[in-house]
């Protein structure tokens, strides 16, 4: 079974600063994917970034980047130059491959951005 | 524009009633999913379907039922057997097992309240 752990329920960052959101996961699969989703107050889930487990290079999407440590089963999200619009709940998620693959989510972290 | 439509946005149910939440997608995705979101619990999988006329139980299927008669539609029925149905329900879709690396597309959700 897959599990995803986000141990920090809340974090705060000053506008224009950098913040890192932590995530650890557990899976017995060798091939899998990792994701970060953002859920703003509208509650619409938005895909922020994804990482393929077989790729050693960390994924980046503009101000968002990940630190993927496969051996440690760690997948943290770094947000650079934080903006007020980054305030949201962020979910880490893990998906295996194959016929019955599904996405397993962590409990989420609420990020607030101070002006 | 392609996407996922969930209706209604808000739903009120009396104790002992069954209610059905609608989820329709025009993305031509094979796989569809239902998640339940509670404060501090993240997203938990209720049911999922990888192909028409087939579906599997997720982690919290008790008290829920689904059908998948058409590729575009995956309605969720919350039955009177569900003891604590008040929650936010999210429907999602994906290309299918071969496209798990692309993540899911989510609807805007239905807030169900028992009155």
């Amino acid at each position: 079974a897959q599990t995803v752990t986000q141990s920090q329920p809340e974090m705060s960052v000053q506008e224009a600063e950098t913040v890192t959101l932590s995530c650890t996961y557990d899976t017995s699969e060798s091939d899998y994917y990792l994701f970060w989703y953002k859920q703003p107050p509208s509650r619409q889930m938005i895909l922020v970034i994804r990482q393929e487990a077989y790729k050693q290079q960390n994924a980046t999407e503009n101000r968002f980047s990940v630190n993927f440590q496969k051996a440690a089963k760690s997948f943290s999200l770094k947000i650079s130059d934080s903006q007020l619009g980054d305030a949201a709940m962020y979910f880490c998620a893990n998906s295996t491959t194959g016929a019955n693959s599904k996405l397993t989510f962590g409990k989420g972290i609420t990020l607030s951005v101070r002006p | 524009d392609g996407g996922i439509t969930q209706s209604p946005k808000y739903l009120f149910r009396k104790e002992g009633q069954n209610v059905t939440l609608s989820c329709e997608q025009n993305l031509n995705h094979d796989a569809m999913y239902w998640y339940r979101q509670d404060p501090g619990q993240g997203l938990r999988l209720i049911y999922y379907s990888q192909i028409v006329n087939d579906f599997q139980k997720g982690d919290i299927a008790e008290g829920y039922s689904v059908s998948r008669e058409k590729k575009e539609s995956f309605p969720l029925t919350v039955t009177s057997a569900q003891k604590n149905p008040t929650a936010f329900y999210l429907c999602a879709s994906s290309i299918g097992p071969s496209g798990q690396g692309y993540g899911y597309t989510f609807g805007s959700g239905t807030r169900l309240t028992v009155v």
Side-chain angles (χ1 to χ4, degrees):
Chain A
Q2 299 165 214
T3 59
V4 178
T5 302
Q6 295 179 254
S7 56
Q8 305 154 302
E10 297 178 353
M11 286 195 74
S12 181
V13 63
Q14 189 74 36
E15 193 177 5
E17 296 294 309
T18 296
V19 64
T20 298
L21 311 182
S22 301
C23 172
T24 59
Y25 63 94
D26 193 17
T27 180
S28 57
E29 304 293 325
S30 57
D31 192 14
Y32 54 89
Y33 300 93
L34 296 162
F35 305 88
W36 279 96
Y37 280 87
K38 172 184 178 181
Q39 188 181 45
S42 67
R43 306 199 79 168
Q44 179 69 53
M45 295 286 284
I46 302 165
L47 178 63
V48 175
I49 198 165
R50 66 187 187 96
Q51 175 78 41
E52 295 147 317
Y54 63 87
K55 287 189 176 180
Q56 292 186 349
Q57 186 173 6
N58 289 324
T60 62
E61 288 287 344
N62 300 313
R63 297 183 296 107
F64 299 87
S65 61
V66 299
N67 183 5
F68 174 45
Q69 302 289 328
K70 191 172 183 178
K73 294 184 178 176
S74 171
F75 184 61
S76 60
L77 175 70
K78 185 171 81 172
I79 305 174
S80 304
D81 185 25
S82 297
Q83 301 175 359
L84 295 177
D86 294 334
M89 180 163 280
Y90 287 82
F91 292 97
C92 179
N94 172 227
S95 171
T96 57
T97 60
N100 285 316
S101 59
K102 51 191 181 292
L103 212 51
T104 300
F105 288 86
K107 293 187 176 182
I109 178 171
T110 300
L111 177 67
S112 59
V113 180
R114 304 186 302 275
Chain B
D1 288 338
I4 298 181
T5 301
Q6 287 189 244
S7 61
K9 191 174 180 66
Y10 299 97
L11 186 59
F12 297 90
R13 190 195 94 171
K14 292 183 179 179
E15 299 240 8
Q17 279 185 338
N18 292 354
V19 290
T20 297
L21 283 60
S22 172
C23 178
E24 303 276 335
Q25 54 101 356
N26 60 1
L27 299 165
N28 199 33
H29 283 174
D30 286 320
M32 297 186 74
Y33 310 82
W34 275 105
Y35 285 88
R36 169 177 171 146
Q37 184 177 10
D38 296 282
Q41 293 293 321
L43 277 68
R44 293 181 290 169
L45 183 64
I46 305 172
Y47 268 99
Y48 62 107
S49 168
Q50 302 281 15
I51 196 169
V52 174
N53 292 322
D54 189 40
F55 48 82
Q56 287 77 41
K57 292 181 179 180
D59 301 317
I60 56 165
E62 186 175 351
Y64 300 96
S65 66
V66 293
S67 62
R68 187 86 186 277
E69 297 176 1
K70 299 186 299 181
K71 188 175 185 177
E72 303 80 21
S73 179
F74 191 42
L76 173 73
T77 297
V78 185
T79 75
S80 57
Q82 170 49 236
K83 299 304 180 189
N84 185 21
T86 294
F88 187 65
Y89 291 87
L90 280 163
C91 180
S93 71
S94 72
I95 295 172
S98 64
Q100 282 299 321
Y102 296 99
Y104 293 1
T105 300
F106 283 84
S108 56
T110 292
R111 173 68 185 177
L112 173 63
T113 304
V114 174
V115 296

